[in-house]
């Protein structure tokens, strides 16, 4: 059974600081996604990672994938308040998309 | 332009009164998913259609049913909503190629969700 675990589950950080969210999964995967969710809203796709060593960057967010370690990271650089949201990783295997628990990020001025 | 459209955005239903949520897509994707997301929790897969093939998750209650009359539309029917069924319901689509068919797979796209309240 595919299991996806994120840590930390809650992260409070100061503006300007850097931090990393980790996503571990239990079996091989076809794709790994990172999503952002604002309160009361749907999921916004941030990154799709397909292969070992994949690295993608958008603004202050950078995602990477290590399929051998079954680990993905979402790195936040110089956080700003607008990044406050819940971030989910999700792993796709044989057509099913399974989510991690989510990491709620709170960026304080 | 919205590609995965869910209706309604907000639904209030009475305890025990059947309710139907709808999802439509303009992407011609062959896979459609329904997820339930309760407050402060991760989305939980209820079931998905791979073309016309229905795939139910083992822990999805019988109270939840789904229909897919054609490629573009998928419905979630809750036969007798309870207070515990109040949640955000998310529809997603993707294109998955058959085994051995390369270059067909796409990422999943989510709709805006329907927030269900049970009173």
């Amino acid at each position: 059974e595919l299991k996806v675990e994120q840590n930390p589950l809650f992260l409070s950080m100061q503006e300007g600081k850097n931090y990393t969210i980790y996503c571990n999964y239990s079996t091989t995967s076809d794709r790994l996604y990172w999503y952002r969710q604002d309160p009361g809203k749907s999921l916004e796709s941030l990154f799709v990672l397909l292969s070992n060593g994949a690295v993608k960057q958008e603004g202050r967010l950078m995602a990477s994938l290590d399929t051998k370690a079954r680990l993905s990271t979402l790195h936040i650089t110089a956080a700003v308040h607008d990044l406050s949201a819940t971030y989910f990783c999700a792993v796709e295997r044989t057509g099913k998309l399974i989510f991690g628990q989510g990491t709620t990020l709170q960026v304080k001025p | 332009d919205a590609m995965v459209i869910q209706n309604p955005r907000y639904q209030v239903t009475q305890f025990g009164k059947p309710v139907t949520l709808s999802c439509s897509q303009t992407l011609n994707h062959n896979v459609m998913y329904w997820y339930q997301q309760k407050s402060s929790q991760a989305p939980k897969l209820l079931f998905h259609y791979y073309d016309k093939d229905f795939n139910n998750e083992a822990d999805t209650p019988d109270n939840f049913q789904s229909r897919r009359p054609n490629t573009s539309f998928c419905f979630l029917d809750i036969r007798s909503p309870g207070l515990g069924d109040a949640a955000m319901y998310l529809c997603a689509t993707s294109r998955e190629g058959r085994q051995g068919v390369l270059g067909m797979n796409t990422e999943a796209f989510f709709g805006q969700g329907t927030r269900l309240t049970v009173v």
Side-chain angles (χ1 to χ4, degrees), chain A:
Chain A
E1 181 188 355
L2 175 57
K3 292 187 178 179
V4 184
E5 293 189 351
Q6 287 180 238
N7 73 85
L9 300 184
F10 184 80
L11 179 55
S12 180
M13 56 192 299
Q14 297 290 127
E15 278 192 329
K17 297 292 186 182
N18 304 334
Y19 209 84
T20 300
I21 300 170
Y22 297 88
C23 175
N24 289 92
Y25 54 99
S26 59
T27 67
T28 57
S29 72
D30 298 324
R31 278 188 285 256
L32 188 139
Y33 298 79
W34 283 97
Y35 289 96
R36 169 181 171 144
Q37 188 175 41
D38 292 296
K41 300 290 181 66
S42 186
L43 298 164
E44 175 190 353
S45 178
L46 296 174
F47 302 107
V48 183
L49 303 170
L50 300 177
S51 57
N52 188 43
V55 177
K56 291 192 175 181
Q57 183 163 4
E58 181 73 34
R60 300 175 188 274
L61 301 178
M62 183 173 71
S64 66
L65 178 62
D66 181 343
T67 58
K68 294 180 181 178
R70 295 178 185 162
L71 170 69
S72 180
T73 61
L74 180 67
H75 186 73
I76 303 152
T77 302
V80 293
H81 179 70
D82 285 351
L83 289 179
S84 298
T86 298
Y87 293 85
F88 289 97
C89 69
V91 176
E92 183 178 343
R93 186 166 186 265
T94 60
K96 291 171 64 169
L97 193 59
I98 304 299
F99 284 81
Q101 310 97 309
T103 298
T104 297
L105 175 64
Q106 184 181 72
V107 182
K108 298 180 178 179

Side-chain angles (χ1 to χ4, degrees), chain B residues 16-57:
Chain B
K17 184 175 180 181
V19 65
T20 295
L21 311 181
S22 74
C23 177
S24 63
Q25 51 127 340
T26 60
L27 300 163
N28 201 33
H29 283 173
N30 61 335
V31 187
M32 295 187 78
Y33 307 83
W34 279 106
Y35 286 85
Q36 178 193 64
Q37 188 180 23
K38 296 186 177 181
S39 181
S40 301
Q41 295 184 21
K44 178 181 178 300
L45 182 63
L46 295 173
F47 25 59
H48 74 283
Y49 275 93
Y50 190 122
D51 295 322
K52 295 182 179 180
D53 296 332
F54 177 70
N55 299 274
N56 198 34
E57 292 301 297

Side-chain angles (χ1 to χ4, degrees), chain B residues 52-77:
Chain B
K52 295 182 179 180
D53 296 332
F54 177 70
N55 299 274
N56 198 34
E57 292 301 297
D59 57 354
T60 298
D62 292 341
N63 196 27
F64 292 86
Q65 304 285 320
S66 186
R67 296 170 283 135
R68 189 178 186 186
N70 54 53
T71 301
S72 301
F73 286 88
C74 195
F75 300 97
L76 170 61
D77 300 309

